[in-house]
């Protein structure tokens, strides 16, 4: 990580079973209030956290680095020592959240997440991240300041990182080429195939699907508990 804080994903996790896609989601976080709520979720400091922990036995592998406060430290440091091409506008995004996971068993999940970190460090300032291994599908939330360097000056622009839908498709292509392919993963399904638009389920729907699957498994166990006694 920049500023000498961290340059490699922490080792020590196990292998996990998944499907066959390299997955990276991105969204703009509009304000600090929302960001602080997300930080509490990442740190497992919200009530009812057990409903997300579908694999609590792996919670000891969770990783936390940085904080939302570090965002302001980085911003202030650049303001004091460097020059801006363009500072953030009043309605600029507070930061960008990237969620990285995979849907296949790969040999070393740590290496995959570390390569994802290196990929995102080239897009901006990663100031906070949380790796969650205590869920059915391990994943990492990366929080990035959309600051890019132009010569000796800096620009604050989420559009420079995310851009429009076509830019996001290029980001997905680049992530697959530079990270996913190395681990034998496939690129995720594009949002449009020819003239046909493809609707993705989104993270909240994905979490709901996980919850439903977990309840179905529990109901099956309850139904057949006692057979053979």
């Amino acid at each position: 990580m920049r500023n000498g804080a961290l340059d490699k994903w922490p080792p020590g996790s196990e292998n996990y079973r998944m499907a066959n896609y390299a997955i990276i989601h991105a969204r703009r976080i509009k304000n600090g209030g929302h960001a602080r709520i997300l930080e509490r979720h990442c740190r497992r400091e919200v009530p009812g956290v057990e409903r997300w922990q579908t694999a609590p036995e792996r919670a000891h592998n969770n990783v936390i680095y940085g904080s939302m406060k570090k965002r302001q430290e980085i911003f202030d440091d650049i303001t004091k020592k460097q020059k801006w091409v363009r500072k953030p506008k009043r309605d600029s995004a507070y930061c960008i959240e990237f969620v990285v996971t995979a849907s296949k068993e790969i040999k070393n999940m740590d290496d995959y997440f570390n390569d994802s970190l290196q990929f995102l460090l080239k897009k901006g300032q990663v100031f906070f991240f949380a790796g969650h291994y205590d869920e059915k599908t391990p994943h990492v939330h990366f929080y990035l300041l959309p600051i890019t360097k132009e010569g000796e000056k800096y620009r604050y622009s989420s559009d420079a990182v995310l851009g429009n839908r076509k830019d996001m498709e290029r980001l997905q292509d680049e992530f697959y080429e530079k990270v996913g392919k190395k681990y034998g993963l496939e690129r995720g399904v594009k949002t449009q195939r020819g003239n046909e638009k493809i609707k993705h389920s989104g993270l909240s729907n994905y979490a709901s699907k996980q919850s439903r699957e977990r309840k179905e498994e529990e109901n099956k166990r309850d139904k057949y508990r006692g057979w053979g006694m």
Side-chain angles (χ1 to χ4, degrees):
M1 184 159 291
R2 297 177 185 179
N3 303 324
L6 183 75
D7 58 7
K8 185 171 176 61
W9 182 259
S13 69
E14 311 161 15
N15 293 331
Y16 301 100
R17 183 171 182 177
M18 306 181 186
N20 64 347
Y21 293 109
I23 300 168
I24 181 169
H25 292 281
R27 62 172 174 168
R28 293 171 174 85
I29 306 303
K30 293 301 294 181
N31 56 66
H34 187 193
R36 286 186 287 276
I37 291 172
L38 292 170
E39 180 174 12
R40 291 184 64 208
H41 165 76
C42 286
R43 294 183 180 278
R44 299 306 199 218
E45 294 175 350
V46 294
V49 68
E50 60 277 358
R51 72 177 183 270
W52 287 295
Q53 290 181 302
T54 52
E57 70 279 2
R58 297 200 303 245
H60 65 280
N61 285 324
N62 286 359
V63 176
I64 293 285
Y65 171 80
S67 68
M68 290 299 174
K69 288 182 179 179
K70 192 169 180 64
R71 174 201 180 276
Q72 194 61 41
E73 292 174 11
I74 293 171
F75 187 86
D76 290 344
D77 184 65
I78 292 175
T79 300
K80 290 176 184 176
K81 299 178 182 178
Q82 310 294 338
K83 293 182 180 179
W84 292 96
V85 174
R86 192 182 78 183
K87 290 185 180 181
K89 297 180 180 178
R90 291 190 64 181
D91 60 348
S92 295
Y94 184 83
C95 64
I96 300 173
E97 179 190 49
F98 289 91
V99 180
V100 174
T101 185
S103 53
K104 180 183 179 181
E105 183 178 348
I106 56 180
K107 291 183 178 178
N108 196 325
M109 184 65 69
D110 285 332
D111 287 345
Y112 174 68
F113 286 150
N114 181 54
D115 286 348
S116 301
L117 171 62
Q118 303 308 316
F119 174 82
L120 290 174
L121 284 171
K122 295 174 183 177
K123 304 295 180 184
Q125 300 271 355
V126 178
F127 61 92
F128 174 53
F129 62 71
H132 292 152
Y133 292 89
D134 57 352
E135 298 185 40
K136 182 179 179 181
T137 303
H139 58 274
V140 186
H141 298 260
F142 292 100
Y143 295 90
L144 179 144
L145 258 178
I147 295 175
T148 55
K149 193 171 184 181
E150 298 181 8
E152 296 302 315
K153 296 184 179 182
Y154 288 81
R155 177 186 297 274
Y156 189 105
S157 172
S158 60
D159 287 344
V161 178
L162 296 182
N164 56 30
R165 178 175 291 181
K166 286 293 183 184
D167 294 323
M168 279 300 300
E169 288 191 359
R170 282 190 284 270
L171 177 74
Q172 296 279 352
D173 290 338
E174 186 184 1
F175 182 73
Y176 163 70
E177 289 291 337
K178 294 185 177 179
V179 181
K181 184 186 287 188
K182 178 179 176 181
Y183 295 91
L185 301 170
E186 299 176 18
R187 188 206 185 282
V189 178
K190 292 191 176 185
T191 55
Q192 188 158 340
R193 186 187 296 118
N195 294 323
E196 176 192 3
K197 289 189 176 180
I198 302 168
K199 185 176 180 181
H200 289 268
S201 62
L203 292 175
S204 60
N205 290 341
Y206 173 71
S208 297
K209 181 175 180 292
Q210 279 191 317
S211 179
R212 288 196 303 273
E213 289 175 351
R214 186 172 72 255
K215 288 179 180 178
E216 287 172 3
E217 287 298 321
E218 290 172 354
N219 290 337
K220 286 179 183 178
R221 286 197 297 270
D222 290 340
K223 182 179 179 179
Y224 296 112
R225 186 172 293 149
W227 276 37
M229 293 180 61

